[in-house]
Amino acid sequence: MEASFGPTFSTVAAGAKGSTHRRTPSSSSTLTYSPRDDDDMPPIGTPRRSDSAISIRSLHSESNMSLRSTFSLHEEEEDTEPQVFAEQPSVKLCCQLCCNVFKDPVITTCGHTFCRRCALSSDKCPVDTAKLTVVVNNIAVAEQIGELFIHCKYGCRATPASAAAAGGAGAAAGAGVAAPGAATVAVPTITTVAGKPGAYEVDPLGCPFTIKLTSRMEHEVSCDYRPVRCPNNPSCPPLLTKHLEAHLKECEHIKCPHSKYGCTFIGNQDTYETHLEVCKFEGLKEFLQQTDDRFHEMQLTLSQKDQDIAFLRSMLGKLSEKLDQLEKNLELKFDVLDENQSKLSEDLMEFRRDASMLNDELSHINARLNMGILGSYDPQQIFKCKGTFVGHQGPVWCLCVYSTGDLLFSGSSDKTIKVWDTCTTYKCQKTLEGHDGIVLALCIQGNRLYSGSADCTIIVWDIQTLQKVNTIRAHDNPVCTLVSSHNMLFSGSLKAIKVWDIVGTELKLKKELTGLNHWVRALVASQNHLYSGSYQTIKIWDIRSLDCVHVLQTSGGSVYSIAVTNHHIVCGTYENLIHVWDIDTKEQVRTLTGHVGTVYALAVISTPDQTKVFSASYDRSLRVWSMDNMICTQTLLRHQGSVTALAVSRGRLFSGAVDSTVKVWTC
């Protein structure tokens, strides 16, 4: 399950939309931001001053206000740029911790949005007192903030109160900017108090443009009101960009372009042009330029050669180290080869001795068999694989045999049920399609086939026509197992067993058995009892009253399979174990070990002489257990994947596996 974080924010006011920047009257008054009382968020106590522009702390530490810089802002950087909004931002764009427009907005685990720095420096959420932990950047809010219009920083100045707090009028005064034919103009400066940004207002003598927050850098780099220095002489008074061209025409500090070669000329524009006509370096400028270019090329070539030499030295060192390592490995391999050769010689001699002893023993056994000492040998006790059904496109999870027609049904992850002829053609008779999920369970009652799936449904099929006749939405979770008895169908799912009355092609819900602690992966009906397996528990239910009459506690995790013989209850578990109880006393009599994987399925073949239990496991093997002495008499290894399902019919064993095949075993 995935959680969604963060509140839904409304769009910014219409004034924030439109062009990237616009010209505004320079006479507009200034307003320190204060959230509206009628908004959803709690009011933030910042006093109002007017109704036009808004002055708050900067959201970013640099003038580039692009969306990307919003997320790359360092936590410890302080705001240094003046920021005056053209229109009052929505209160929904304001952090409840610092009472300012969000700066690098992030969503926390409680679902609220705060400035990143505020979230990292605060312990609890002011709304629900939850612990604050940053989850993800709030891109939606950052984009809305980026669309807000602000005044160009060269059209802002520190408020008188802020300037006084920073150290008086002298601290707030800007550097003088010289304009041709005009008196010095005050340039807005940044004032701070105790390391915090000061308040700013619109400067009527500054830049009149308003710009989007994300386009701030683009505008301010080329703003006509940006302070610049004279390129000829740093001692010239500061200038505005729009006055630079006029100043250069009057500047008395223009240097000769050949000053780097030794020319000492300094003058104004008129004398500069006259000087170039007589400068001795002017006639050599092409030669000097070519010399500089050649010198630069030689420097680049020399630098490249130095890099090549360093690279070759590094490679030579690595090759030398690798050669030393190869020599050591070769010596080690020769030593190991000598040891292995000696050991192989010893093993070969021992093998020959063992082979000789085995031949002698076989001869002795044959002699005893011929004399009738060991009794007759029964070849029917050995199970062998007689064939393989191939056709599914995914793992086989369940099997069911219709003995009347010698049909085998197999359900798979490919969402289909295949019908196999086990008597004559040994081929797939038909593929039944109808489920939208993995087919996990199959059961036959009369002439009806019932299939349960991960799509939470049970489908009823007519075996004579092999057609779907009904679909029932059975559970809220996958149907893990099905079994029928006494004209009832039992379906197992998560913590529940549903009992259905079979009425023709219909299933009528009769009762739901509860009190189960986990997935019900195993159901077996025997005589008048229903056996269900879940986590470390087997419950025994009376089929007539549908009451739980006994509970068996197990170990080894969830119960994945159950089999009932004439004398025993057998279950396979998640942790490789097979537990055996006496069916009468309900006392555990044995735990069978041998599998090294989950025991997915159990099946029983009983004869008047003996009872055999077959187990299928995640370890890709099947085991045959004699219930007379509780020992494993045979291990069957032919599947290439985990064995997940078993079915028996007329002395034959069918096994389905994750390798998408069904194998047939006979004595």
Side-chain angles (χ1 to χ4, degrees):
M1 180 178 68
E2 298 183 2
S4 299
F5 299 96
T8 302
F9 290 89
S10 61
T11 56
V12 186
K17 300 177 181 178
S19 61
T20 302
H21 63 276
R22 57 191 179 186
R23 189 181 183 92
T24 57
S26 60
S27 60
S28 62
S29 58
T30 304
L31 175 66
T32 302
Y33 173 64
S34 174
R36 294 187 295 271
D37 294 336
D38 57 352
D39 279 324
D40 296 332
M41 294 174 61
I44 303 170
T46 307
R48 294 179 181 268
R49 294 190 181 181
S50 180
D51 57 357
S52 176
I54 301 95
S55 173
I56 64 171
R57 296 196 310 174
S58 170
L59 292 177
H60 307 280
S61 63
E62 300 179 1
S63 61
N64 183 358
M65 305 305 293
S66 65
L67 180 61
R68 180 172 180 176
S69 67
T70 302
F71 297 107
S72 60
L73 185 65
H74 193 278
E75 293 178 3
E76 300 301 327
E77 292 178 352
E78 289 291 342
D79 300 327
T80 59
E81 298 289 354
Q83 185 164 285
V84 179
F85 285 89
E87 296 179 3
Q88 179 169 317
S90 169
V91 70
K92 294 181 180 179
L93 302 179
C94 191
C95 176
Q96 297 189 56
L97 290 172
C98 64
C99 303
N100 290 312
V101 172
F102 288 115
K103 167 187 167 184
D104 193 6
V106 294
I107 301 173
T108 60
T109 49
C110 62
H112 299 104
T113 299
F114 303 99
C115 304
R116 180 181 293 274
R117 188 182 304 169
C118 295
L120 294 175
S121 60
S122 301
D123 294 330
K124 293 183 178 180
C125 174
V127 179
D128 53 18
T129 68
K131 182 175 177 60
L132 289 182
T133 303
V134 174
V135 176
V136 67
N137 293 322
N138 196 329
I139 299 177
V141 171
E143 289 177 346
Q144 294 182 63
I145 295 173
E147 292 296 314
L148 298 179
F149 277 87
I150 63 170
H151 287 273
C152 173
K153 72 175 181 180
Y154 302 119
C156 303
R157 65 184 179 188
T159 61
S162 176
V177 180
T184 301
V185 180
V187 176
T189 59
I190 300 168
T191 60
T192 59
V193 179
K196 298 295 183 181
Y200 295 89
E201 63 184 5
V202 175
D203 185 357
L205 300 179
C207 178
F209 287 99
T210 58
I211 51 178
K212 284 186 179 181
L213 204 56
T214 54
S215 305
R216 179 175 193 167
M217 185 65 173
E218 180 181 352
H219 166 78
E220 293 178 350
V221 166
S222 59
C223 182
D224 288 341
Y225 290 83
R226 181 171 63 92
V228 294
R229 288 288 183 179
C230 176
N232 300 322
N233 182 17
S235 300
C236 288
L239 304 163
L240 297 180
T241 301
K242 65 179 182 178
H243 299 148
L244 178 61
E245 183 177 356
H247 169 78
L248 291 178
K249 294 180 180 179
E250 301 176 357
C251 184
E252 297 290 340
H253 302 283
I254 300 177
K255 293 182 180 180
C256 177
H258 307 301
S259 59
K260 61 181 179 180
Y261 302 121
C263 183
T264 59
F265 169 81
I266 299 178
N268 57 27
Q269 184 69 29
D270 295 335
T271 57
Y272 169 78
E273 295 176 357
T274 304
H275 166 74
L276 287 181
E277 297 177 357
V278 297
C279 181
K280 61 182 179 180
F281 295 100
E282 181 68 14
L284 300 173
K285 64 179 181 180
E286 293 185 2
F287 170 75
L288 294 174
Q289 185 61 43
Q290 291 176 359
T291 303
D292 284 345
D293 293 343
R294 182 60 180 164
F295 181 71
H296 182 65
E297 290 176 1
M298 292 177 65
Q299 284 184 320
L300 292 177
T301 303
L302 182 61
S303 176
Q304 184 63 40
K305 296 298 182 184
D306 289 341
Q307 293 179 9
D308 293 343
I309 291 173
F311 174 74
L312 291 174
R313 286 177 177 172
S314 174
M315 292 299 297
L316 182 61
K318 291 181 179 179
L319 288 173
S320 178
E321 293 177 0
K322 191 172 183 179
L323 182 61
D324 292 342
Q325 186 64 34
L326 288 174
E327 290 178 350
K328 293 179 181 178
N329 290 342
L330 188 61
E331 293 177 358
L332 181 62
K333 288 180 180 179
F334 276 127
D335 293 340
V336 172
L337 184 62
D338 291 340
E339 293 178 2
N340 289 342
Q341 186 176 3
S342 175
K343 188 174 184 302
L344 285 173
S345 298
E346 295 176 358
D347 291 344
L348 181 60
M349 294 179 63
E350 185 175 354
F351 174 76
R352 288 174 176 172
R353 288 195 299 267
D354 292 343
S356 177
M357 294 175 60
L358 285 173
N359 287 330
D360 294 342
E361 185 67 21
L362 286 174
S363 299
H364 179 64
I365 291 174
N366 286 329
R368 297 183 67 188
L369 284 173
N370 293 331
M371 296 173 61
I373 297 176
L374 295 181
S376 61
Y377 171 67
D378 183 6
Q380 296 298 318
Q381 301 305 312
I382 303 299
F383 282 83
K384 296 182 179 179
C385 182
K386 293 298 183 180
T388 302
F389 292 131
V390 178
H392 277 297
Q393 301 302 312
V396 177
W397 293 107
C398 51
L399 297 172
C400 186
V401 176
Y402 182 59
S403 57
T404 303
D406 287 313
L407 297 178
L408 173 69
F409 299 90
S410 58
S412 168
S413 289
D414 60 15
K415 306 178 184 179
T416 68
I417 303 168
K418 288 191 178 293
V419 186
W420 310 92
D421 183 342
T422 65
C423 184
T424 56
T425 64
Y426 302 100
K427 293 181 179 179
C428 179
Q429 298 297 302
K430 189 172 182 180
T431 298
L432 308 182
E433 298 178 350
H435 281 293
D436 294 327
I438 298 171
V439 182
L440 296 172
L442 293 172
C443 173
I444 290 177
Q445 172 74 15
N447 291 326
R448 300 282 187 265
L449 170 70
Y450 300 90
S451 58
S453 168
D455 62 13
C456 308
T457 67
I458 297 175
I459 294 182
V460 185
W461 310 84
D462 187 295
I463 296 180
Q464 302 301 324
T465 62
L466 296 178
Q467 297 294 324
K468 178 171 65 174
V469 293
N470 198 3
T471 300
I472 296 94
R473 176 76 181 185
H475 289 270
D476 294 330
N477 295 286
V479 180
C480 297
T481 182
L482 293 171
V483 68
S484 63
S485 180
H486 292 68
N487 206 37
M488 291 184 291
L489 181 71
F490 301 87
S491 59
S493 184
L494 178 62
K495 297 184 179 180
I497 300 172
K498 288 190 176 182
V499 185
W500 309 84
D501 277 328
I502 300 175
V503 183
T505 60
E506 297 292 328
L507 292 179
K508 303 294 183 181
L509 182 61
K510 182 175 183 178
K511 186 177 181 180
E512 181 172 350
L513 308 182
T514 57
L516 300 147
N517 59 9
H518 207 261
W519 288 98
V520 180
R521 293 188 173 93
L523 278 178
V524 171
S526 177
Q527 296 181 357
N528 293 321
H529 291 94
L530 175 72
Y531 301 82
S532 65
S534 53
Y535 182 74
Q536 294 190 346
T537 304
I538 294 178
K539 288 196 172 186
I540 305 175
W541 311 80
D542 187 298
I543 289 182
R544 291 163 296 188
S545 64
L546 298 178
D547 294 328
C548 180
V549 296
H550 207 91
V551 178
L552 303 178
Q553 298 296 331
T554 73
S555 60
S558 293
V559 176
Y560 271 73
S561 53
I562 297 175
V564 179
T565 71
N566 293 332
H567 304 289
H568 299 102
I569 304 169
V570 187
C571 84
T573 67
Y574 173 78
E575 295 179 357
N576 321 336
L577 302 176
I578 299 175
H579 298 293
V580 183
W581 288 267
D582 186 281
I583 197 169
D584 296 324
T585 64
K586 305 299 187 298
E587 296 291 333
Q588 185 169 344
V589 295
R590 189 70 61 90
T591 296
L592 308 180
T593 60
H595 281 298
V596 292
T598 300
V599 182
Y600 281 126
L602 294 170
V604 179
I605 293 181
S606 295
T607 64
D609 299 329
Q610 59 183 344
T611 299
K612 291 187 179 295
V613 171
F614 301 86
S615 59
S617 171
Y618 176 85
D619 62 15
R620 304 184 180 184
S621 73
L622 293 88
R623 286 180 177 259
V624 185
W625 306 87
S626 173
M627 299 309 293
D628 296 332
N629 49 20
M630 302 287 182
I631 63 172
C632 177
T633 61
Q634 191 178 356
T635 301
L636 310 178
L637 297 170
R638 290 296 293 274
H639 280 289
Q640 301 302 312
S642 303
V643 188
T644 57
L646 294 176
V648 295
S649 175
R650 301 183 182 181
R652 297 172 298 176
L653 174 69
F654 302 94
S655 61
V658 173
D659 60 12
S660 306
T661 67
V662 178
K663 293 188 180 294
V664 185
W665 309 81
T666 60
C667 294

